[in-house]
Amino acid sequence: NLLSNAVKFTEKGSVALDGKLIGDEVRITVSDTGIGIHPDHINHIFDPFWQVEQTVTRRAPGTGLGLTVTRRLANLMGGDVTVTSREGEGAAFTVTLPTMLPHMATIPVIAKNVRTA
Protein backbone atom coordinates (compact mmCIF):
# COMPACT_ATOMS: atom_id res chain seq x y z
CA ASN A 1 0.00 0.00 0.00
CA LEU A 2 2.75 2.46 0.88
CA LEU A 3 4.57 1.81 -2.39
CA SER A 4 1.32 2.06 -4.35
CA ASN A 5 0.48 5.39 -2.72
CA ALA A 6 3.97 6.74 -3.35
CA VAL A 7 3.72 5.92 -7.05
CA LYS A 8 0.15 7.22 -7.24
CA PHE A 9 1.08 10.64 -5.82
CA THR A 10 4.43 11.10 -7.59
CA GLU A 11 4.01 12.31 -11.16
CA LYS A 12 7.64 13.48 -11.47
CA GLY A 13 10.61 12.56 -9.35
CA SER A 14 11.28 9.34 -7.53
CA VAL A 15 10.05 6.69 -5.13
CA ALA A 16 12.51 4.89 -2.85
CA LEU A 17 12.32 1.84 -0.62
CA ASP A 18 14.79 1.40 2.23
CA GLY A 19 15.04 -1.28 4.89
CA LYS A 20 17.20 -1.39 8.01
CA LEU A 21 17.68 -3.72 10.95
CA ILE A 22 18.19 -1.58 14.03
CA GLY A 23 18.58 -3.56 17.24
CA ASP A 24 15.46 -5.65 17.66
CA GLU A 25 13.44 -3.70 15.07
CA VAL A 26 13.05 -3.72 11.32
CA ARG A 27 12.42 -0.32 9.75
CA ILE A 28 11.07 -0.10 6.23
CA THR A 29 10.78 3.37 4.73
CA VAL A 30 8.94 4.29 1.55
CA SER A 31 9.74 7.83 0.45
CA ASP A 32 8.72 9.87 -2.55
CA THR A 33 9.11 13.29 -4.12
CA GLY A 34 5.37 13.60 -4.80
CA ILE A 35 2.73 16.08 -3.72
CA GLY A 36 3.43 15.73 0.00
CA ILE A 37 0.92 16.26 2.78
CA HIS A 38 -0.25 19.58 4.20
CA PRO A 39 0.68 19.93 7.91
CA ASP A 40 -3.02 20.27 8.83
CA HIS A 41 -3.71 16.86 7.26
CA ILE A 42 -0.92 14.80 8.87
CA ASN A 43 -3.08 13.95 11.90
CA HIS A 44 -5.92 12.67 9.68
CA ILE A 45 -4.24 10.49 7.07
CA PHE A 46 -4.59 7.29 9.13
CA ASP A 47 -8.31 7.93 9.79
CA PRO A 48 -10.68 5.56 7.93
CA PHE A 49 -12.05 6.95 4.65
CA TRP A 50 -10.01 10.17 4.92
CA GLN A 51 -8.03 11.16 1.84
CA VAL A 52 -5.40 13.83 1.18
CA GLU A 53 -7.25 14.92 -1.94
CA GLN A 54 -10.78 15.61 -0.76
CA THR A 55 -12.12 17.26 -3.90
CA VAL A 56 -14.29 15.70 -6.58
CA THR A 57 -11.51 16.34 -9.11
CA ARG A 58 -8.85 14.41 -7.22
CA ARG A 59 -6.15 12.73 -9.28
CA ALA A 60 -5.97 9.40 -7.48
CA PRO A 61 -8.84 6.99 -6.90
CA GLY A 62 -9.23 5.09 -3.67
CA THR A 63 -11.41 4.51 -0.63
CA GLY A 64 -9.21 6.08 2.02
CA LEU A 65 -8.69 2.78 3.86
CA GLY A 66 -5.17 1.83 2.76
CA LEU A 67 -3.22 3.76 5.38
CA THR A 68 -5.71 2.80 8.09
CA VAL A 69 -5.32 -0.90 7.32
CA THR A 70 -1.54 -0.60 6.94
CA ARG A 71 -1.17 1.01 10.36
CA ARG A 72 -3.57 -1.43 12.04
CA LEU A 73 -1.67 -4.42 10.63
CA ALA A 74 1.61 -2.97 11.87
CA ASN A 75 0.03 -2.37 15.30
CA LEU A 76 -1.22 -5.97 15.43
CA MET A 77 2.36 -7.14 14.89
CA GLY A 78 3.66 -4.90 17.68
CA GLY A 79 4.83 -2.08 15.41
CA ASP A 80 3.65 1.19 13.94
CA VAL A 81 3.64 3.38 10.83
CA THR A 82 4.81 6.98 11.03
CA VAL A 83 5.05 9.74 8.45
CA THR A 84 7.08 12.84 7.76
CA SER A 85 6.17 15.15 4.92
CA ARG A 86 6.43 18.61 3.44
CA GLU A 87 3.67 19.74 1.15
CA GLY A 88 4.90 19.87 -2.44
CA GLU A 89 8.13 18.03 -1.55
CA GLY A 90 7.01 14.47 -0.91
CA ALA A 91 6.54 12.15 2.04
CA ALA A 92 8.29 9.35 3.88
CA PHE A 93 6.35 6.57 5.59
CA THR A 94 8.26 4.33 7.99
CA VAL A 95 6.99 0.95 9.15
CA THR A 96 8.66 -0.22 12.35
CA LEU A 97 8.21 -3.87 13.32
CA PRO A 98 9.80 -5.98 16.04
CA THR A 99 12.06 -8.78 14.84
CA MET A 100 10.27 -11.11 17.25
CA LEU A 101 6.48 -11.07 17.27
CA PRO A 102 4.78 -10.67 20.63
CA HIS A 103 3.45 -13.88 22.18
CA MET A 104 0.35 -15.02 20.36
CA ALA A 105 -2.07 -17.65 21.58
CA THR A 106 -2.20 -20.81 19.54
CA ILE A 107 -5.44 -22.53 18.73
CA PRO A 108 -5.20 -26.32 18.55
CA VAL A 109 -6.57 -27.89 15.41
CA ILE A 110 -8.84 -30.85 16.06
CA ALA A 111 -9.41 -33.08 13.08
CA LYS A 112 -12.88 -34.63 12.91
CA ASN A 113 -14.08 -37.29 10.56
CA VAL A 114 -10.66 -37.76 8.99
CA ARG A 115 -10.25 -40.98 7.02
CA THR A 116 -6.93 -42.44 6.20
CA ALA A 117 -6.29 -44.80 3.33
Side-chain angles (χ1 to χ4, degrees):
N1 175 262
L2 297 179
L3 282 168
S4 173
N5 281 354
V7 170
K8 188 182 336 183
F9 292 106
T10 304
E11 290 182 13
K12 295 180 183 177
S14 62
V15 172
L17 173 67
D18 182 55
K20 295 179 183 173
L21 179 61
I22 301 173
D24 59 352
E25 293 182 335
V26 173
R27 291 188 189 162
I28 302 165
T29 301
V30 175
S31 57
D32 64 65
T33 58
I35 63 172
I37 304 164
H38 190 280
D40 293 343
H41 298 163
I42 289 286
N43 292 328
H44 299 288
I45 61 170
F46 294 103
D47 294 345
F49 304 107
W50 198 92
Q51 295 179 323
V52 169
E53 292 184 319
Q54 297 288 314
T55 64
V56 175
T57 59
R58 68 180 192 247
R59 292 169 273 195
T63 60
L65 288 173
L67 290 176
T68 303
V69 171
T70 300
R71 182 176 244 179
R72 287 187 182 176
L73 283 171
N75 291 162
L76 285 170
M77 292 185 282
D80 199 10
V81 179
T82 57
V83 61
T84 58
S85 181
R86 295 185 84 152
E87 188 175 26
E89 296 181 21
F93 286 83
T94 300
V95 179
T96 304
L97 298 171
T99 56
M100 298 292 290
L101 290 178
H103 175 71
M104 298 177 73
T106 58
I107 301 171
V109 176
I110 300 171
K112 293 184 179 180
N113 298 324
V114 177
R115 295 181 189 183
T116 58

